[in-house]
């Protein structure tokens, strides 16, 4: 049996590596995805462009502006003087936010009155707008605390001996510590997910084209008259692409560590073992698509309609908890969701089987089910 399987594997490798289109599918998509998500897809806001509208023109308002510029997160690119210029600045995208200091800002602060600093944020990109609003709020809050502390210190120093003793109220400060991704780089979040997408893209596509190619070039009739059994033909068609998928995992993980310095805190062997479990689902799905397709174009379209929803519902770019409840339950049918959680857990958190066993069990169940269904539909005959 294994001699016949090895013959099919050798034939499949020779035929795959000899065809230019298949060689492109083996190496180009993994590198393109990794480079795009590593360099281009970046949700971090390191330098936000803001416009500064100072309607008070006081030393205190200039001190606040110095706080914004000294934070390293904001670049003042415009100085609008009226409402029309503010509108044009935001409409043309010259600045992502406008900070407006209202008249009487310093006077109200010195007298202990409530005052406000208005921050107008371009909400076209909700993620960027949320980060800019949060950063601006932090700077204004720190500035306010510093002003209040300075005023209290002045009152203590200028208090006369006969005046009543001032009462100091305790304060509570929040001390935050970020685990797993201390610098909050979105690259560290996206790059591990590329590993899961690459396995699905490469193995699903190549396996779906494997059987269909035999039908198109007319070699299925030759396989029908050989002593090869269906299970042997199925193994010979899928095992080469399983090896290709594992090699892509090693290749992409190595590039992620060397080029993007993505943290890897888990076990390499556990990652490869989980990749094998996930390969059962992708190879089985690819084989199933090949049994219901008559041409390679049909197989590629079937692959597109299968992989795109799986990608969107995997939690790769969009948090599953933000989806509607019905869609959240639908994601439990997506094996890519579980492997995405496993890859990020191994890369960023360094967790092991004790934490990841539910996802591993789910992938094993789906893998056995998909492979069994594909084997039932697979027949060594022409329709």
């Amino acid at each position: 049996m294994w001699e016949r399987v090895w013959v099919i594997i050798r034939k499949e490798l020779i035929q795959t590596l000899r065809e230019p289109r298949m060689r492109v599918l083996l190496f180009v998509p993994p590198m393109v995805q990794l480079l795009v998500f590593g360099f281009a897809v970046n949700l971090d806001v390191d330098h936000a462009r803001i416009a500064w509208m100072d309607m008070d023109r006081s030393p205190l308002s200039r001190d606040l502006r110095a706080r914004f510029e000294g934070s390293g997160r904001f670049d003042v690119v415009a100085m609008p003087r009226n409402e029309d210029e503010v509108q044009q600045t935001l409409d043309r995208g010259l600045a992502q936010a406008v900070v407006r200091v209202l008249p009487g800002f310093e006077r109200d602060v010195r007298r202990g009155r409530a005052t406000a600093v208005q921050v107008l944020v371009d909400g076209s990109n909700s993620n960027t707008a949320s980060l800019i609003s949060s950063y601006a709020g932090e700077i204004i809050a720190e500035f306010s605390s510093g002003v209040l502390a300075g005023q209290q210190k002045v009152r203590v120093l200028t208090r006369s001996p006969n005046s009543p003793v001032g009462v100091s109220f305790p304060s509570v400060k929040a001390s935050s510590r970020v685990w797993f991704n201390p610098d909050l780089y979105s690259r560290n979040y996206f790059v591990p997910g590329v590993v899961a997408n690459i396995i699905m893209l490469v193995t699903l596509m190549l396996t779906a084209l494997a059987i269909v190619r035999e039908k198109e070039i007319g070699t299925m009739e030759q396989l029908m008259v050989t002593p090869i059994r269906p299970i042997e033909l199925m193994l010979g068609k899928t095992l080469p692409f399983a090896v290709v998928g594992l090699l892509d995992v090693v290749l992409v993980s190595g590039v992620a560590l060397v080029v993007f310095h993505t943290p890897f805190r888990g076990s390499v062997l556990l990652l490869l073992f989980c990749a094998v479990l996930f390969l059962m689902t992708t190879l089985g799905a690819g084989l199933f698509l090949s049994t219901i397709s008559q041409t390679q174009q049909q197989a590629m379209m079937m692959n597109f309609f299968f992989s795109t929803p799986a990608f969107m519902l995997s939690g790769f770019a969009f948090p599953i908890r933000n989806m509607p409840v019905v869609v959240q339950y639908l994601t439990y049918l997506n094996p890519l969701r579980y492997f995405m959680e496993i890859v990020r857990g191994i890369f960023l958190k360094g967790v092991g089987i004790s934490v990841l066993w539910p996802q591993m069990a789910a992938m094993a169940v789906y893998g056995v089910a998909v492979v069994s269904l594909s084997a039932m539909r697979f027949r060594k005959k022409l329709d």
Side-chain angles (χ1 to χ4, degrees):
M1 170 182 174
W2 290 108
E3 290 181 1
R4 291 191 293 267
V5 171
W6 169 246
V7 170
I8 300 175
I9 291 176
R10 185 175 60 182
K11 171 253 184 189
E12 194 68 27
L13 289 175
I14 294 175
Q15 190 172 6
T16 300
L17 297 177
R18 182 178 57 189
E19 188 176 353
R21 182 171 56 179
M22 301 301 289
R23 290 201 301 267
V24 170
L25 290 176
L26 287 176
F27 302 107
V28 173
M31 292 299 99
V32 170
Q33 280 202 33
L34 185 63
L35 294 176
V36 167
F37 286 101
F39 288 111
V41 180
N42 187 2
L43 300 180
D44 303 330
V45 181
D46 297 326
H47 295 280
R49 306 184 310 275
I50 64 172
W52 189 268
M53 185 177 183
D54 191 351
M55 304 176 66
D56 188 51
R57 300 186 181 278
S58 61
L60 201 62
S61 65
R62 289 191 290 270
D63 186 17
L64 178 61
R65 175 183 171 180
R67 292 288 187 95
F68 271 84
E69 294 177 332
S71 66
R73 297 184 181 273
F74 296 97
D75 298 325
V76 178
V77 297
M79 298 282 291
R81 293 167 295 183
N82 50 56
E83 299 296 332
D84 292 337
E85 293 184 3
V86 170
Q87 184 73 30
Q88 293 179 4
T89 300
L90 293 177
D91 289 345
R92 297 178 179 179
L94 301 178
Q96 297 166 296
V98 177
V99 180
R100 181 162 54 185
V101 181
L102 303 178
F105 172 74
E106 183 176 22
R107 180 195 61 210
D108 294 338
V109 171
R110 300 300 183 193
R111 295 180 180 180
R113 297 177 181 175
T115 186
V117 176
Q118 189 178 51
V119 182
L120 305 175
V121 184
D122 183 358
S124 301
N125 187 323
S126 58
N127 178 75
T128 303
S130 176
L131 292 176
I132 292 176
S133 179
S134 176
Y135 294 157
E138 290 178 4
I139 294 176
I140 295 174
E142 292 177 1
F143 176 80
S144 176
S145 299
V147 171
L148 293 177
Q151 290 180 348
Q152 185 177 5
K153 183 177 180 180
V154 171
R155 292 193 187 100
V156 171
L157 294 177
T158 58
R159 180 178 57 86
S160 61
N162 297 328
S163 61
V165 179
V167 180
S168 60
F169 297 94
S171 60
V172 179
K173 295 183 179 179
S175 179
S176 301
R177 180 182 177 185
V178 180
W179 284 16
F180 312 129
N181 189 10
D183 298 322
L184 296 178
Y185 291 148
S186 59
R187 177 183 300 168
N188 294 342
Y189 180 76
F190 284 117
V191 170
V194 176
V195 177
N197 287 324
I198 285 175
I199 293 182
M200 183 186 69
L201 176 66
V202 175
T203 58
L204 187 64
M205 175 70 73
L206 296 180
T207 309
L209 297 178
I211 303 298
V212 180
R213 185 172 61 246
E214 302 288 352
K215 298 178 183 179
E216 281 195 339
I217 63 179
T219 55
M220 183 61 74
E221 293 89 345
Q222 300 176 10
L223 294 175
M224 289 174 58
V225 298
T226 63
I228 298 175
R229 291 176 294 179
I231 184 62
E232 297 170 355
L233 182 59
M234 187 175 69
L235 289 175
K237 287 291 186 180
T238 55
L239 288 180
F241 304 126
V243 176
V244 170
L246 293 177
L247 291 178
D248 282 334
V249 171
V250 176
L251 174 63
V252 175
S253 300
V255 174
L257 297 178
V258 175
V259 177
F260 301 110
H261 305 289
T262 304
F264 187 90
R265 302 184 176 95
S267 171
V268 177
L269 295 179
L270 180 60
L271 176 62
L272 294 177
F273 177 74
C274 294
V276 171
L277 294 178
F278 183 64
L279 282 172
M280 293 176 60
T281 62
T282 58
L283 294 175
L287 191 63
F288 178 80
L289 294 179
S290 68
T291 60
I292 61 177
S293 302
Q294 298 300 322
T295 64
Q296 295 190 57
Q297 288 76 14
Q298 290 181 4
M300 294 182 67
M301 291 301 298
M302 290 285 188
N303 173 74
F304 174 77
F305 286 117
F306 178 85
S307 59
T308 301
F311 170 79
M312 300 294 288
L313 299 179
S314 65
F316 175 78
F318 313 105
I320 295 178
R321 292 184 179 180
N322 294 349
M323 301 178 184
V325 178
V326 177
V327 179
Q328 291 184 30
Y329 284 111
L330 188 62
T331 61
Y332 288 107
L333 301 176
N334 183 14
L336 183 59
R337 170 206 170 127
Y338 303 105
F339 190 57
M340 194 73 65
E341 295 175 357
I342 289 174
V343 171
R344 285 171 174 164
I346 294 176
F347 265 83
L348 301 180
K349 299 180 181 180
V351 295
I353 299 178
S354 60
V355 176
L356 299 176
W357 71 265
Q359 290 83 0
M360 296 171 63
M363 285 198 308
V365 171
Y366 281 118
V368 172
V370 174
V371 171
S372 301
L373 178 62
S374 302
M376 292 173 59
R377 285 195 54 87
F378 186 79
R379 295 291 184 270
K380 196 185 69 170
K381 64 179 182 179
L382 292 178
D383 293 336

